Amino acid sequence: MSSSPHRSRDGSSSSSGEGRPRFFDHNAKKICWANAETVPGRHPERWRKDAAGNVVCKRLCNCHGCLCFQYDHIVPFSKGGESTADNCQILQARVNSFKSDKQEVDKTQLKGYSCDLKFTDKELDIIEMAVYGDVIRPGNQCRCRTVAEMLGEYKSKDRAAACKLPYGEEKL
């Protein structure tokens, strides 16, 4: 009998010899995202901070930019860590690559692996507009108008009122 990986319906694979899922299932990822620190002034379903304090965007999972992240085994899978929500953390993709299969890496070490690039609120608004098509501000229940709305080509049925981005009239 072969010991090649087997893929289940949820996309996780397991070695037929071990029987342990290698990847986090949808529910574990959902809990992991919910447990990550929120970013003040940003929509919590779109933005979080990873275990090193880096801002990451939910739509940028498994890519390689400074806002991209991956779901990481706190105790590495290769060292016996399970693919469960309590062994999951989000990490900026670069940080996760450097962490690799190391155990007991503290926040200071993780921060040392982080991208040096930091984004301003204005830059994050532009990125959010590009990724999601709008910018949603929690708390005041307004959202920024989409490009189609600004051009008069579309009127949103979204209950949250459209507002302007919170800066002066200078060009982006």
Side-chain angles (χ1 to χ4, degrees):
M1 183 170 195
S2 160
S3 64
S4 63
H6 173 302
R7 272 211 195 271
S8 66
R9 284 187 313 133
D10 69 357
S12 63
S13 70
S14 62
S15 172
S16 57
E18 294 181 35
R20 295 188 315 141
R22 171 70 178 93
F23 299 101
F24 298 102
D25 66 20
H26 175 75
N27 193 49
K29 289 177 181 180
K30 185 176 174 182
I31 292 167
C32 185
W33 182 266
N35 288 339
E37 183 182 347
T38 59
V39 179
R42 296 273 158 210
H43 195 285
E45 286 304 313
R46 295 180 174 187
W47 301 94
R48 291 290 174 145
K49 289 187 179 181
D50 76 353
N54 299 302
V55 174
V56 295
C57 179
K58 190 169 190 177
R59 284 238 177 120
L60 302 178
C61 184
N62 292 324
C63 57
H64 297 288
C66 289
L67 292 172
C68 299
F69 75 99
Q70 296 170 342
Y71 292 98
D72 172 63
H73 290 84
I74 297 168
V75 175
F77 185 80
S78 64
K79 310 275 193 223
E82 297 297 327
S83 299
T84 59
D86 60 340
N87 190 42
C88 183
Q89 65 185 350
I90 60 172
L91 282 181
Q92 187 183 73
R94 174 186 166 96
V95 175
N96 195 30
S97 292
F98 281 111
K99 178 187 174 259
S100 186
D101 66 347
K102 297 174 187 74
Q103 276 185 262
E104 300 179 26
V105 180
D106 68 27
K107 189 172 181 170
T108 305
Q109 286 175 293
L110 292 177
K111 194 71 177 162
Y113 300 146
S114 302
C115 290
D116 290 332
L117 189 60
K118 301 298 176 214
F119 296 93
T120 66
D121 277 340
K122 185 175 180 177
E123 290 167 334
L124 288 177
D125 285 342
I126 293 166
I127 293 164
E128 186 171 348
M129 181 66 81
V131 171
Y132 290 97
D134 62 6
V135 178
I136 297 178
R137 296 261 177 234
N140 62 5
Q141 299 308 308
C142 78
R143 61 174 178 75
C144 296
R145 295 181 299 159
T146 65
V147 172
E149 285 177 293
M150 287 187 266
L151 296 173
E153 297 171 359
Y154 175 75
K155 182 163 173 112
S156 176
K157 294 178 183 163
D158 191 335
R159 285 187 268 158
C163 60
K164 292 184 179 181
L165 291 171
Y167 0 93
E169 294 299 314
E170 76 273 10
K171 299 285 184 205
L172 296 178

